[in-house]
Amino acid sequence: MISLARKTALGSAALALAVGMPVMAGTLMLGTYPDKLFTVDEATGKIGEKIQLPGGLPVSLRVTPDQAKIFATTITNSSVIVMDAKSHAILTQFDLNTPTERYRFNGGAPDPTGRYFYTTMMRMDKLIDRWKVSKQMYAVIDIKLQKVVRTADLEPEDDAMSGGFRAPMMVSPDGKSLYIFKEKVLVVDTAKLKVADRIDVQKPDATGYENVAFGGGVEGFQMTNGNQLVSLFTAADPYVHNKVFGLGKFDLNTRKFKFTPMGPITTGMSGLEITPDGKTGYTVVTNGTTGNKRCEFWKFDMTSLKLKDKVEFGCRSRFQLGMSGDGTKLYIYGASYDIEVYDAQTMKLEKTWDLGADATMAGMLVLK
């Protein structure tokens, strides 16, 4: 299954690298153990700020579509942090955990106003002799009141789908719908916290294909035309179930999904990074496991949707793919003490930046 990897100004990352106008190299932000956010100057590779998070280990990073605020969450105290994207000043920070209540969630999506944060979570209540664990729930966190204000259990058919807490989420521009990208796209009415529609992307527009699968994090989604999510997906034909990969486009306004097959699937694919001009895309392909594992950069022509080039690079056991703000560099990072910098044109290693701290898999933001 393809991992949707990049929690950049998406977000993925947070979420998205806008395609169109050139973007100058800027500042990177990523989480580090045990409780900090680091900023890194893209021009020099030097560490800038080391932002302390009292809430503990950061597990998700996300920037709002207007690039004004950063939302981060932690696993230690189930904290939510809201920061100013330019000054990096913490505007709001609070823990959901109490001595008798615990929450478990991994990221989520803010609504267009920034007042509410939507996620899926589980709640643990401390009883006299045990902890009582809830079912998986939709949850609305009120940033102003600093607490969970509404929840609703997932329906059994949705709870059973793969993706869990790491399923990508987006909120529609009007704030009325929460999109959760699992094996199907769940369209959740934010007022009722009920599934209004299940878009069966197992039968996309590409005739003869089924079983389109969504991967892990939001970071591999790219935003184009304001409301269109673009990423790599896998599919299988309905006859011999031969797996292929391709480019999927999902419109948040019309709820339309389009899948274009591109080639046979490999052992695994991770991330999609698109250059600011929208002409070239990159992903990481892995073949084999452990000692036999091989990793390659794949370069795509995003106009013709054809594979242009592939270059092998040194594998890591776990890593994420990122891209510089100007699209000239590729980054391999996460679960390590460094960031490997590759030239995007040649896909060859240029240098390594020492972080001096173990980076989490929370993703990387590219900030202007």
Side-chain angles (χ1 to χ4, degrees), residues 249-260:
K249 297 182 179 181
F250 187 86
D251 192 289
L252 291 176
N253 284 326
T254 64
R255 303 179 183 178
K256 290 183 178 179
F257 178 83
K258 182 178 181 180
F259 177 75
T260 303

Side-chain angles (χ1 to χ4, degrees), residues 37-322:
L37 296 176
F38 278 19
T39 62
V40 181
D41 186 285
E42 282 197 285
T44 64
K46 293 183 178 180
I47 306 301
E49 300 169 88
K50 297 182 180 180
I51 304 168
Q52 181 77 41
L53 300 180
L57 178 68
V59 290
S60 75
L61 280 171
R62 185 158 190 164
V63 67
T64 54
D66 61 4
Q67 304 288 301
K69 294 180 180 179
I70 297 169
F71 281 74
T73 62
T74 74
I75 194 173
T76 310
N77 294 338
S78 296
S79 304
V80 178
I81 301 98
V82 183
M83 306 171 61
D84 182 272
K86 290 185 177 180
S87 68
H88 307 159
I90 294 178
L91 306 175
T92 305
Q93 183 170 240
F94 57 92
D95 300 339
L96 293 179
N97 286 353
T98 70
T100 58
E101 296 176 3
R102 296 286 189 274
Y103 294 89
R104 177 57 61 92
F105 66 102
N106 187 73
D111 80 329
T113 69
R115 170 70 185 270
Y116 301 104
F117 190 77
Y118 294 90
T119 187
T120 57
M121 61 168 51
M122 295 175 68
R123 171 176 166 171
M124 287 71 76
D125 293 287
K126 187 176 182 180
L127 305 181
I128 295 176
D129 58 342
R130 68 189 187 281
W131 286 88
K132 181 181 178 182
V133 181
S134 75
K135 296 180 180 179
Q136 191 174 358
M137 309 180 293
Y138 303 113
V140 183
I141 301 172
D142 189 311
I143 301 301
K144 183 178 180 180
L145 299 180
Q146 302 186 4
K147 65 179 182 179
V148 177
V149 291
R150 290 190 294 135
T151 63
D153 290 347
L154 270 69
E155 296 181 42
E157 64 178 296
D158 302 325
D159 194 5
M161 290 184 186
S162 65
F165 297 126
R166 295 183 178 273
M169 299 181 194
M170 291 291 286
V171 177
S172 63
D174 60 11
K176 295 182 179 180
S177 299
L178 169 67
Y179 295 88
I180 303 178
F181 296 87
K182 303 179 87 171
E183 291 173 354
K184 298 182 181 181
V185 179
L186 304 181
V187 184
V188 181
D189 186 310
T190 56
K192 301 177 182 179
L193 291 185
K194 295 291 184 181
V195 174
D197 194 9
R198 294 175 179 86
I199 300 176
D200 189 359
V201 294
Q202 293 180 329
K203 299 184 185 301
D205 293 342
T207 304
Y209 287 90
E210 63 178 4
N211 299 329
V212 174
F214 292 88
V218 294
E219 62 281 11
F221 280 121
Q222 303 295 319
M223 288 287 281
T224 62
N225 302 324
N227 300 308
Q228 189 177 73
L229 299 175
V230 179
S231 193
L232 292 172
F233 302 97
T234 58
D237 71 81
Y239 307 107
V240 297
H241 308 289
N242 183 44
K243 291 186 177 181
V244 299
F245 76 91
L247 192 77
K249 297 182 179 181
F250 187 86
D251 192 289
L252 291 176
N253 284 326
T254 64
R255 303 179 183 178
K256 290 183 178 179
F257 178 83
K258 182 178 181 180
F259 177 75
T260 303
M262 299 171 69
I265 191 64
T266 63
T267 302
M269 305 182 76
S270 178
L272 174 66
E273 297 297 332
I274 302 176
T275 54
D277 61 10
K279 296 180 179 180
T280 306
Y282 298 86
T283 191
V284 169
V285 172
T286 58
N287 290 284
T289 57
T290 59
N292 294 322
K293 187 175 180 180
R294 293 176 60 251
C295 296
E296 294 178 330
F297 289 117
W298 281 15
K299 181 191 293 187
F300 300 105
D301 183 312
M302 296 303 292
T303 302
S304 63
L305 296 184
K306 300 294 184 181
L307 177 64
K308 294 173 60 178
D309 196 8
K310 57 176 70 175
V311 173
E312 187 172 354
F313 68 95
C315 277
R316 298 185 180 191
S317 58
R318 292 190 299 150
F319 61 86
Q320 290 176 280
L321 172 66

